[in-house]
Amino acid sequence: MPDMIRDSITTFYTSLEAANRVLQQSTQKIEDRKTKILSLLDTELSLPQPPGESGAYHEACRQAMEQIRSHIIQWKTSMRQMVERSEFVNRHEKSILVIVFADVKSGKSSLGNFVSGYDYRGTAYKDLSQPLSYTIEDFSRASTEDRGSKVRPLPFPENEIEATSTIQYYTLHQGLTWVDTPGLHSLTREHEALANEYIQFADLVLFLTSSSSPLKEDERGELQKLLAQNKPVMVVITKSDESVTTVEGGRLVKKLTPKPPEKRKAQDDYVMNEIRALGNGVIENRRVVSVSTKLARQAVTAGDEALFHQSNLDTFFLQMGEILSNQAVELKMRRPISELEHCIDQLIGDAPPAEGMRTICQEQEGLHRLLADLKKLFDQRDVSIQQICGSLELVIPTELSLRFRALREQKGLGDPEAVQKAVAECLYQVCTGQCISYFEDKFQMEQVFLDRRIAPKAVDLSGAEYRQTTMQQSYTAIRERPPKGFVEHIQKALDQNRKFTETVSRSETIVTGDNFHSYVQAVWEQIRPSLPNYVGEAVDELYKQYICPLRERYEQMDRQFDALTQKLKQLKFTEG
């Protein structure tokens, strides 16, 4: 014959086993994505070599790269902590984590013992009982105690002033981890902090409230906090029974009976109305069920199906089973998916970052500011060229004059090739020097170098001609000469002091002046139009050597951040 008690319990346990199978597959997807995030942080971000040159902009680039490096390390550390943290939760990732949240003396330990199957021992349902132990976790950030774990055989302690002063949990059929927390408003602040700390890990919260005074004002406040966190909540009204006096065998005896259906309905309706009044989200998923663990124990012991039905534990198991079987993935994955996606959003910048954490968006904003500063420099290129050319207007004519004087002394000023060479050297040395000096001042740099590739092209000097004025000068002179002919040689032999002379007439051209100053000015006028082009080439080359690499570094990092952001977003879960 069908046994409602056995069917109710076995159906519940079957749901747990099915949930475990589904969760194992889904949990692996979460872990794979966590690992992928770490892999992306390792492979998608490659910091360019920081610049080695001096200069304010180069120092800013070095600082930016170093800050990004430290933030990448911070991101990796944070992700590793997300992967490795919460040993408590990770041990139970493949089961639904149900955390019982209730005030003291609400019957939560009794309910936990019954769900574990401990009360089936010594009954007709002993085969459904597993030899379970429960683990005690004594740890909270609010406490100075070190974490400690102890394993004890069930049952949980019951009917103590503060029976649950620590986290206590067991895992049933690998599909359900039942966590018994310290009571609401426990006797110590540490116990309350411990409960609030672990509540964040809940996949499902069983919020228990005693039938003697359901959903008191302080309980409503705590429930509102849970609902505000969008926690899946199932509200259970415990101790839904009453003691009545009856006559049995001619004697007055007190007998535990379920609360009448109209009383239970009134309490259920009251609690649902109070939940609605809290005004938090959708209430259709908020479940309310009244139960009596004491009646359920009596029913199991006596094999009384009617009494078990009156305890309402069959309804409790049914609702729990539905949640575990139909919503197992949704419930279990909601927290890790939410945590994973929140971590991605924090990393990207779509959610407020954790304290002290920089987001990819913030890093890109910093890069964009640096790029905007560099853009201003490039936008000022023409102004810079004008300023340098203005300085050269004063320097080059003087420098040309000095070089042409030296060339004139070497009698090479009339040689077009020599003049072109002198002009080229003047432009290279003077213009390059002015450009470098301007660049060093503007960017606070040292040892700026502009190689010989930037050399002036030949300048057409046909409009400038060097001319000299001259005059012819003639004169007659008497000079000594050697003897000529036979007679003079005889005379010289007879008289060694004898001298012979001759009269010589000569004419020569003498330079009386030149157009040196007007020639220098004419050459200057010829090369002046080409000056902006040459200075522009020099400035562009300096930008190319020293400033463009900074822009390329920033743009490279910006592109990497864009690519990383897109790949991180692809790791988020979407519908279907």
Side-chain angles (χ1 to χ4, degrees), residues 10-258:
T10 55
T11 299
F12 175 60
Y13 287 171
T14 300
S15 299
L16 300 185
E17 293 165 354
N20 174 254
R21 287 192 297 272
V22 176
L23 290 171
Q24 286 194 38
Q25 300 172 358
S26 300
T27 301
Q28 188 59 48
K29 294 179 181 178
I30 297 290
E31 294 307 313
D32 290 345
R33 297 192 186 208
K34 289 179 181 178
T35 302
K36 182 61 176 176
I37 293 175
L38 269 174
S39 175
L40 288 175
L41 291 175
D42 281 330
T43 60
E44 291 299 311
L45 298 177
S46 176
L47 277 174
Q49 186 70 22
E53 295 85 1
S54 62
Y57 287 87
H58 298 77
E59 180 59 30
C61 184
R62 281 190 290 274
Q63 291 178 3
M65 294 297 112
E66 184 55 38
Q67 287 175 357
I68 291 174
R69 185 190 307 279
S70 66
H71 295 150
I72 292 173
I73 294 173
Q74 188 182 38
W75 294 339
K76 292 179 181 178
T77 301
S78 177
M79 281 306 306
R80 289 192 185 97
Q81 289 174 348
M82 189 193 78
V83 172
E84 299 168 358
R85 72 178 175 176
S86 185
E87 177 187 350
F88 171 80
V89 175
N90 290 339
R91 286 202 300 270
H92 309 293
E93 279 291 350
K94 295 180 176 62
S95 64
I96 296 294
L97 197 60
V98 175
I99 296 187
V100 184
F101 209 57
D103 206 346
V104 294
K105 295 177 136 183
S106 63
K108 55 190 174 65
S109 295
S110 299
L111 182 61
N113 288 331
F114 189 85
V115 171
S116 74
Y118 177 81
D119 293 318
Y120 310 156
R121 298 188 304 175
T123 72
Y125 309 101
K126 62 184 179 182
D127 59 301
L128 299 178
S129 176
Q130 297 180 346
L132 296 179
S133 298
Y134 70 96
T135 302
I136 301 173
E137 297 281 354
D138 194 357
F139 170 71
S140 87
R141 284 188 290 270
S143 172
T144 57
E145 301 173 89
D146 292 330
R147 184 185 185 123
S149 295
K150 292 176 281 189
V151 178
R152 293 177 181 171
L154 283 168
F156 291 144
E158 298 179 24
N159 300 320
E160 296 183 12
I161 294 177
E162 180 60 19
T164 308
S165 60
T166 55
I167 291 290
Q168 304 174 148
Y169 63 89
Y170 60 79
T171 298
L172 185 62
H173 289 275
Q174 301 305 313
L176 170 70
T177 297
W178 182 281
V179 184
D180 192 22
T181 65
L184 282 174
H185 310 296
S186 298
L187 298 180
T188 66
R189 293 178 59 188
E190 287 81 3
H191 296 164
E192 186 176 355
L194 185 59
N196 288 324
E197 180 180 336
Y198 277 95
I199 204 71
Q200 65 180 303
F201 299 127
D203 298 309
L204 174 66
V205 176
L206 284 184
F207 192 91
L208 308 188
T209 180
S210 176
S211 177
S212 61
S213 181
L215 216 55
K216 297 174 292 187
E217 183 176 353
D218 55 353
E219 290 178 323
R220 284 200 301 273
E222 295 300 327
L223 180 58
Q224 187 171 28
K225 292 178 184 177
L226 294 173
L227 298 178
Q229 298 176 48
N230 199 30
K231 289 291 181 184
V233 177
M234 180 174 170
V235 178
V236 179
I237 302 175
T238 60
K239 300 183 179 182
S240 185
D241 49 48
E242 58 187 17
S243 182
V244 298
T245 302
T246 63
V247 178
E248 290 185 2
R251 296 189 329 176
L252 292 174
V253 296
K254 288 195 173 187
K255 186 176 180 180
L256 191 68
T257 63

Side-chain angles (χ1 to χ4, degrees), residues 525-540:
E525 293 300 331
Q526 291 290 98
I527 67 177
R528 175 187 276 173
S530 64
L531 198 60
N533 291 333
Y534 176 66
V535 171
E537 289 182 10
V539 168
D540 288 344

Side-chain angles (χ1 to χ4, degrees), residues 319-374:
Q319 291 192 2
M320 284 285 290
E322 288 176 353
I323 293 174
L324 296 175
S325 60
N326 299 330
Q327 302 177 31
V329 174
E330 178 189 349
L331 282 173
K332 185 61 190 177
M333 293 300 102
R334 182 184 301 177
R335 183 200 58 77
I337 286 175
S338 176
E339 180 187 55
L340 177 72
E341 296 195 342
H342 183 66
C343 180
I344 291 174
D345 286 340
Q346 282 191 315
L347 190 57
I348 292 173
D350 290 343
E355 184 178 357
M357 182 73 72
R358 290 270 295 181
T359 67
I360 292 175
C361 182
Q362 288 173 327
E363 293 297 340
Q364 288 188 284
E365 288 173 354
L367 290 174
H368 294 165
R369 285 193 295 271
L370 291 169
L371 282 168
D373 289 342
L374 292 185

Side-chain angles (χ1 to χ4, degrees), residues 443-500:
F443 298 104
Q444 302 175 32
M445 297 183 66
E446 298 177 358
Q447 297 180 338
V448 175
F449 175 73
L450 188 60
D451 65 31
R452 199 75 195 200
R453 289 176 300 168
I454 303 300
K457 299 178 177 61
V459 179
D460 181 9
L461 300 179
S462 59
E465 182 182 359
Y466 176 69
R467 299 186 304 274
Q468 294 179 325
T469 59
T470 61
M471 60 175 294
Q472 288 296 120
Q473 183 175 2
S474 299
Y475 61 90
T476 301
I478 298 174
R479 65 178 181 180
E480 187 177 350
R481 64 172 179 79
K484 296 179 181 180
F486 177 76
V487 175
E488 289 184 355
H489 279 88
I490 293 297
Q491 290 174 344
K492 183 66 175 178
L494 295 174
D495 184 359
Q496 291 295 323
N497 293 323
R498 180 72 181 266
K499 297 185 184 297
F500 302 94

Side-chain angles (χ1 to χ4, degrees), residues 487-552:
V487 175
E488 289 184 355
H489 279 88
I490 293 297
Q491 290 174 344
K492 183 66 175 178
L494 295 174
D495 184 359
Q496 291 295 323
N497 293 323
R498 180 72 181 266
K499 297 185 184 297
F500 302 94
T501 62
E502 63 182 353
T503 300
V504 179
S505 297
R506 176 174 293 181
S507 177
E508 63 180 357
T509 302
I510 300 174
V511 176
T512 59
D514 62 15
N515 65 336
F516 180 81
H517 294 292
S518 60
Y519 176 68
V520 171
Q521 186 63 31
V523 171
W524 165 234
E525 293 300 331
Q526 291 290 98
I527 67 177
R528 175 187 276 173
S530 64
L531 198 60
N533 291 333
Y534 176 66
V535 171
E537 289 182 10
V539 168
D540 288 344
E541 181 64 22
L542 289 170
Y543 271 84
K544 180 179 177 182
Q545 289 186 38
Y546 297 100
I547 304 303
C548 288
L550 302 182
R551 182 174 62 185
E552 290 166 3

